[in-house]
Amino acid sequence: AIRITQSPSSLSASTGDRVTITCRASQGISSYLAWYQQKPGKARKLLIYAASTLESGVPSRFSGSGSGTDFTLTISCLQSEDFATYYCQQYYSYPQTFGQGTKVEIK
Amino acid sequence: QVQLVESGGGVVQPGRSLRLSCAASGFTFSNYGMHWVRQAPGKGLEWVAVISSDGGKKYYADSVKGRFTISRDNSKNTLYLQMNSLRAEDTAVYYCAKDRALEGPPMDVWGQGTTVTVSS
């Protein structure tokens, strides 16, 4: 199975900050990477797919980049509603695998 | 709106069986592949199984292969996960999710989850 290493596991940031989360795959996955947002009590939300394509309705302050093994999710100007846990996922091959998650907390 | 609602979770003894259901609404269920994903307490997400839109293709995680069976009833807009020979390590919140595109993943809509606890 392809291993996904996500970092950091948590971070503290302030509203307005630029935040970067990274995922590294144990082998090349082309651009078959998605990013999700999870808030307590709410269903998981797809933010980005194909490494850099913004899902419809997702604010443009979210962006994704990378291909092959190294990927990045960037939130350009953190808003209060962005405090949540973020996961990356590879769907290049089965079993699909996820990063361990990054909890973005208020500083 | 697109909605997935899981049910069927509960407390079950090791070695017993349980069937989870996922009721879909707001989209043409029969057009999309569907997944089960789980999250054990304090752990990360683990993909469990996928079934193609017509039910003809199924893939499983090694951890559940031979014990779990994914199926669907397109006439009822419902996805199922039959879980047999349950183990303590199967304790988790189980989520169903749909493929974003007709061609396949990633998953774009997730349910809220149903909790399975395997304990004597």
Side-chain angles (χ1 to χ4, degrees):
Chain A
I2 298 173
R3 293 185 311 278
I4 303 293
T5 303
Q6 185 174 343
S7 61
S9 56
S10 66
L11 65 89
S12 295
S14 301
T15 303
D17 284 353
R18 181 183 182 91
V19 167
T20 299
I21 300 168
T22 64
C23 281
R24 173 165 288 178
S26 60
Q27 65 186 74
I29 58 171
S30 185
S31 296
Y32 293 97
L33 188 104
W35 291 95
Y36 298 92
Q37 179 190 66
Q38 171 78 66
K39 293 183 180 180
K42 293 205 166 184
R44 205 158 283 113
K45 178 182 178 181
L46 175 66
L47 299 175
I48 287 169
Y49 61 97
S52 61
T53 302
L54 208 62
E55 175 69 333
S56 176
V58 174
S60 59
R61 61 181 180 273
F62 290 91
S63 65
S65 64
S67 68
T69 59
D70 294 310
F71 302 86
T72 300
L73 172 70
T74 300
I75 310 172
S76 60
C77 183
L78 199 65
Q79 302 297 302
S80 57
E81 59 266 31
D82 301 335
F83 291 97
T85 300
Y86 295 86
Y87 295 90
C88 60
Q89 178 214 8
Q90 69 81 17
Y91 52 99
Y92 177 79
S93 66
Y94 289 114
Q96 294 183 14
T97 46
F98 295 85
Q100 286 298 104
T102 296
K103 186 172 185 179
V104 177
E105 299 175 302
I106 301 172
K107 184 183 283 185
Chain B
Q1 74 280 22
V2 177
Q3 193 172 15
L4 299 171
V5 179
E6 302 93 338
S7 61
V11 180
V12 61
Q13 293 179 329
R16 303 298 291 263
S17 299
L18 204 60
R19 188 176 84 157
L20 305 183
S21 299
C22 169
S25 59
F27 66 102
T28 306
F29 180 72
S30 59
N31 283 352
Y32 293 89
M34 297 291 297
H35 303 253
W36 287 100
V37 178
R38 67 185 181 184
Q39 187 167 27
K43 298 287 185 70
L45 295 165
E46 180 186 16
W47 174 85
V48 173
V50 63
I51 186 168
S52 61
S53 57
D54 64 358
K57 292 182 183 176
K58 304 174 185 180
Y59 297 97
Y60 297 92
D62 285 345
S63 58
V64 306
K65 202 174 293 183
R67 299 188 300 123
F68 289 12
T69 301
I70 189 171
S71 63
R72 63 192 298 159
D73 186 336
N74 286 344
S75 68
K76 296 182 178 179
N77 291 344
T78 303
L79 175 73
Y80 301 101
L81 185 67
Q82 177 67 44
M83 305 185 294
N84 298 333
S85 303
L86 282 161
R87 306 167 180 168
E89 54 264 37
D90 295 319
T91 295
V93 178
Y94 285 74
Y95 302 93
C96 63
K98 70 172 277 290
D99 275 337
R100 179 186 176 278
L102 300 179
E103 305 83 52
M107 311 161 208
D108 67 338
V109 178
W110 297 60
Q112 299 262 31
T114 187
T115 301
V116 173
T117 303
V118 183
S119 174
S120 53

